[in-house]
Amino acid sequence: MKAKDELRELWCTQPYSSATKREDLVKLVQKQTKRFDRIILIRNLLECTAAAVVLVWFTLFAVRTQDTVQRVGSIVIAASAVCIIYFLLRYARGPANEDPSQNLSAYRRALLERYDTQIRLLKSVKYWYLVPPYVGLLIGSAGVLLSHARLGVVGWRDLVGPALYTAFFVFVWWLNEVKGVARLRSERARLLSIGEEANGSDCAD
Amino acid sequence: MRLPVWKRKSMSTQAIAQQGQERVEDTTRHETFLHLIGQYEAALRRLAAGYVARDADREDLFQEIAVGLWRAIPSYRGEASERTWLYRVAHNIAISSSARLYRREKRERAMPEAFDHISARLDSEQELLRNEKRRALVEAIRSLPALDRQIVLLHLEDLSYAEIEQISGLSQSAVATRLSRVRERLKEEMQAREMGRQ
């Protein structure tokens, strides 16, 4: 028991420097909590506003244009904006708050589930965030190309727009599905090593 | 459309009552938080030291735990003791922050470790020796697998097996078995680290 007591004594006599005073800590904690909530709110608001602008813009364009193909493309883009707003509000409201007062094994399991959900969400980005507006843009570009062909003014400039937005969509896909998923997977792997231990046969619950 | 006067009155009374309730809850939360920090600040800072090496990271982790506590206070229902609840929250926050902190620590591994500022303050040889031992202990704890580390940290903070069971979800017999194994490992690690320094 002596060794144990010595360990405890060594542990409990650790000197530490308190960089933050208690009252300052309260202010800091309140500020950080508000800041975090505000960041999530602003992020969701910005994305929804952008989607709403896209929705209004392409709906108006669909109403005004005389070209049927371009109208179809605009309707697809407007519909995909509705789809994006729905998904953002329904699934991407910000990190779910697991109850941190659960026991350690239950909390780890909840965290792992959250990582799985986030990974699934990032991997599904192409279906609800990228492909629908991209298809709409392609149809719209085809409409422009056809109308130019009818006028006999097709040139390499007609391909600049599609090339640019294709590059943009590929970049967003890479950011989410390759980079984002890889980061989440490495964090999940670290947690999993802990989770496997906690889910062993010696658990009380 | 204007609401009838009586309805507006009753709504504003409701709103005032709700505001008053929120204020009371805020005050209670504030007081509870200050009480918890006052009581457990040293233990929470030690806990942070068990997870991360550098002073800045410890302070960050301590603040993250403080934010976690602040957020968790309203959901405290008194089913577990205050201490058990606090350690659950603190270890869970530390675990969920550990992946990010680990990445940062790996990126900035070249930075000097903690304790350096402390050694400058120590004068006697005996104190220096104790500080070396303490450093070896903290490093050895950090090198443990996460669950062993959590259990030993709780044990070193003088929590009973029953309390550790409530916090970790492991049975008391499993806690006892793990602890005796971890204590042995800690002693060996400490010796190896001390030998390595000499």
Side-chain angles (χ1 to χ4, degrees), chain A residues 97-107, chain B residues 68-69 71-82 84-93 166-168:
Chain A
N97 276 328
E98 286 77 22
D99 175 15
S101 58
Q102 301 175 77
N103 73 40
L104 303 178
S105 338
Y107 186 75
Chain B
L69 284 173
R71 283 177 172 271
I73 285 171
S75 62
Y76 178 59
R77 299 277 171 268
E79 287 134 1
S81 75
E82 176 188 286
T84 310
W85 173 83
L86 177 122
Y87 279 112
R88 271 185 181 182
V89 174
H91 274 282
N92 282 332
I93 301 290
Q166 278 183 30
I167 295 168
S168 67

Side-chain angles (χ1 to χ4, degrees), chain A residues 72-83:
Chain A
V72 171
S74 300
I75 291 170
V76 171
I77 295 171
S80 62
V82 175
C83 176

Side-chain angles (χ1 to χ4, degrees), chain A residues 5 8 16 37 49 67 72 78 86 92 119 125 134 140-141 152 161 186 195 204:
Chain A
D5 292 338
R8 190 170 280 160
Y16 67 87
D37 292 342
T49 309
D67 187 291
V72 171
Y86 169 76
I119 288 171
V125 151
Y134 183 68
S141 301
S186 79

Side-chain angles (χ1 to χ4, degrees), chain A residues 6 8-9 20 108 187 204, chain B residues 59 103 130 150 155 169:
Chain A
E6 192 198 353
R8 190 170 280 160
E9 203 270 324
T20 322
R108 282 188 205 100
E187 288 183 11
Chain B
E59 188 61 28
R103 270 209 317 276
R130 280 191 69 71
Q150 289 178 329
H155 168 70

Side-chain angles (χ1 to χ4, degrees), chain A residues 21-83:
Chain A
K21 285 181 193 159
R22 274 170 206 168
E23 267 305 326
D24 293 342
L25 189 68
V26 176
K27 282 179 201 152
L28 192 123
V29 158
Q30 285 172 323
K31 206 171 127 187
Q32 279 193 7
T33 309
K34 276 183 194 157
R35 197 177 134 254
F36 182 74
D37 292 342
R38 208 178 301 137
I39 286 171
I40 298 288
L41 183 78
I42 289 172
R43 194 198 68 186
N44 288 344
L45 213 68
L46 275 177
E47 286 183 335
C48 285
T49 309
V53 167
V54 169
L55 172 67
V56 171
W57 177 271
F58 281 95
T59 306
L60 285 176
F61 190 78
V63 171
R64 283 179 185 174
T65 186
Q66 302 296 315
D67 187 291
T68 316
V69 182
Q70 286 186 45
R71 178 172 294 148
V72 171
S74 300
I75 291 170
V76 171
I77 295 171
S80 62
V82 175
C83 176

Side-chain angles (χ1 to χ4, degrees), chain B residues 6-184:
Chain B
W6 64 270
K7 203 163 185 180
R8 278 197 290 142
K9 259 188 179 171
S10 96
M11 278 182 73
S12 71
T13 315
Q14 258 184 353
I16 290 166
Q18 198 180 338
Q19 271 185 355
Q21 179 67 24
E22 278 167 15
R23 213 172 295 138
V24 169
E25 279 170 11
D26 265 3
T27 315
T28 316
R29 192 187 205 180
H30 191 141
E31 281 167 6
T32 311
F33 180 78
L34 278 180
H35 158 75
L36 290 173
I37 293 298
Q39 190 97 352
Y40 297 101
E41 182 180 358
L44 292 177
R45 286 189 182 278
R46 285 195 293 269
L47 183 147
Y51 279 89
V52 282
R54 298 187 311 137
D55 275 355
D57 290 340
R58 288 176 184 199
E59 188 61 28
D60 282 356
L61 182 54
F62 172 72
Q63 285 179 9
E64 278 181 36
I65 292 169
V67 172
L69 284 173
W70 177 265
R71 283 177 172 271
I73 285 171
S75 62
Y76 178 59
R77 299 277 171 268
E79 287 134 1
S81 75
E82 176 188 286
R83 191 158 85 137
T84 310
W85 173 83
L86 177 122
Y87 279 112
R88 271 185 181 182
V89 174
H91 274 282
N92 282 332
I93 301 290
I95 276 294
S96 54
S97 307
S98 67
R100 188 181 47 78
L101 291 166
Y102 175 77
R103 270 209 317 276
R104 192 165 82 179
E105 200 165 297
K106 217 167 116 182
R107 207 169 48 229
E108 298 164 10
R109 197 163 267 176
M111 301 289 283
E113 256 205 33
F115 278 98
D116 292 348
H117 68 287
I118 295 158
S119 52
R121 278 192 243 135
L122 300 170
D123 35 21
S124 79
E125 199 179 326
Q126 203 185 4
E127 271 186 83
L128 210 65
L129 213 66
R130 280 191 69 71
N131 195 44
E132 277 300 312
K133 271 189 159 182
R134 207 177 280 129
R135 184 209 291 251
L137 171 67
V138 177
E139 284 176 359
I141 288 174
R142 274 201 295 264
S143 74
L144 290 171
L147 193 60
D148 287 347
R149 189 193 319 160
Q150 289 178 329
I151 288 169
V152 85
L153 287 176
L154 295 167
H155 168 70
L156 292 175
E157 291 295 341
D158 213 12
L159 276 88
S160 68
Y161 287 178
E163 285 175 308
I164 298 177
E165 177 184 352
Q166 278 183 30
I167 295 168
S168 67
L170 293 177
S171 66
Q172 289 188 46
S173 57
V175 170
T177 315
R178 269 181 190 261
L179 264 179
S180 73
R181 199 184 64 214
V182 172
R183 275 203 302 263
E184 282 308 309

